[in-house]
Amino acid sequence: MRVEVDPTRCDGVGMCAYLAPDAIALDRWGFPLLPRAPRSGAGGAALERAIAGCPRSALRRVD
Amino acid sequence: MIATTEVGLRAPELAFEALAPRPLSTPVRMGIQEHRALFGPMPLDLRPLVQALAATGLGGYGGAGVAAIRKWESAARDGAGGIAVANAAEGEPASAKDAAIWQTRPHLVLDGLEAAAVAIGAAESVVWVHGGDRETVHAIERAVGERGPGLVPVRVVHGPDRYVSGEHSAIVRALRGGAAVPRFRPTGARSWVGGAPVLVNNSETLARVALLARTGLAGHREAALVTVVDAGVRRVREVDAGDRYGDLRGASSPAAALVGGYGGRWHDWRELAERPLLGAQAPELGAGVVALLPEGVCGVCETARIADWMAAESARSCGPCRFGLPELADALDVLAARGRAGRAPARIGTLADLVDGRGACAHPDGVARMVRSALRVFGDDVTAHRAGRCLARTQASVLPLPRHGRAR
């Protein structure tokens, strides 16, 4: 699966990078750098947690 | 060949210079009577127009490069009762083509807007304009007033004077009662994201739709309006497939040109001069701005000025744009100021990569594109600045930058 972020909603809380540390990094301002390639298995599950855990509901599954 | 008809449009800094025999060119306002006498009525049957739009791929004169027919079909699929918008909000500080077209051929745009509204079954049409551009607002209101009622009611709506408020999703949001700032468009979603469709076409695109409706495919010639910024004067010119960049030069001798707009690309003039303005071999024309940088003016310094302005024009709704553009502009200022500039180019490259593609609209992408092209084209200036020197023979600033949020 892949995820995308609505940058107008994201406040740079960083919960996504905490919940999916292998897939999501934070830039120097604290905003997520998302993987371009799809993730499956454990990586996909971590992305699901990041989507569910975002306090701003800014993350969304693309496919 | 480029003709030299020239009248003051927004004197003294703006002239409308045109290529003589072309339909959008003669720089005189055409009221409704002259318009009807010259162009005749819009054909009532839109089917030949729709076919000609599909065959030509006409559109994209606002800079995003989307064919008008694709937008129309997409809006029509989402049902009737929406809004057709003529975008007259020229956010590009150097661009004057929308102003020129509304002040000289307003009824072509309104004809095109009516065709668009009928084609998608819209309930109303809107002309979206920057409130601060008073001459254009006046020209639009005068034209709408003298037409009388048409097939679909037309409303003139004033948006705020900001770079990004003419962006498609910002217009959609504002027409629904929100703030005129860009909105994120999820992958696969329509740009109006739920609700009735909102079709936004650039003013020049609509004028060319109205011309195509009359000429048909057989009489169609590819052409575009270009705003040339040269020695402090902006001239709007109509160019066609036979014209080259070298034809745009006046008495000046440019070293480089910024093509597309302030989110466009710098080109070395020696490489650009022989290239065509339109067609597959042409550089991306974007919003139609060609800003000439005279020899002896420092490209690094001009790029830093533009980046500062673009950073301040961010709507500040997306983190990477809000925080990244000011840092990018600062890094360029360090390079321009020649103090501790050794690492500046690397930092500029890193920051451009970090902001590119990470906003809800393309504003940060444009800044990244413009800045990267500057590092490529102004390599000698970059080297000199890193060594603490500037090659400029004049410290003049040549590219026009309005005050933020103000009328130009």
Side-chain angles (χ1 to χ4, degrees), chain A residues 14-28:
Chain A
M15 187 62 78
C16 54
Y18 176 75
L19 293 170
D22 295 334
I24 300 178
L26 298 179
D27 68 16
R28 55 199 282 145

Side-chain angles (χ1 to χ4, degrees), chain B residues 23-42:
Chain B
L24 297 186
S25 304
T26 322
V28 175
R29 180 183 188 272
M30 278 200 174
I32 188 69
Q33 303 301 340
E34 296 104 315
H35 171 76
R36 285 183 179 143
L38 183 67
F39 295 110
M42 271 292 273

